[in-house]
Amino acid sequence: GGPSRGLMIGIEIDGSAAESRPRLLSEKHIFTGGAGATTVRLLPALGVGRKEADRFLAAFAELINE
């Protein structure tokens, strides 16, 4: 196969991303990855829309503002 295309969104946070990632999965049902101690990675499908992005941002904001 040829080269793949994809989208990656990285968010740098204050504190430990290792604590946020499991909570996003268990509490908000959003799968994320890591790229360092303070980075949360979201790997959405290329068809991601505004609705899905807004859902992620709202869920992420709830967790980091607690």
Side-chain angles (χ1 to χ4, degrees), residues 12 15-18 21 33-41:
E12 193 77 21
S16 173
R21 289 190 301 265
T38 60
T39 304
V40 174
R41 276 191 327 179

Side-chain angles (χ1 to χ4, degrees), residues 26-57:
S26 66
E27 297 174 26
K28 306 296 182 182
H29 311 290
I30 297 174
F31 183 76
T32 60
T38 60
T39 304
V40 174
R41 276 191 327 179
L42 184 63
L43 302 165
L46 287 176
V48 67
R50 178 70 183 251
K51 178 181 170 185
E52 293 84 11
D54 286 344
R55 177 177 174 255
F56 169 72
L57 291 173

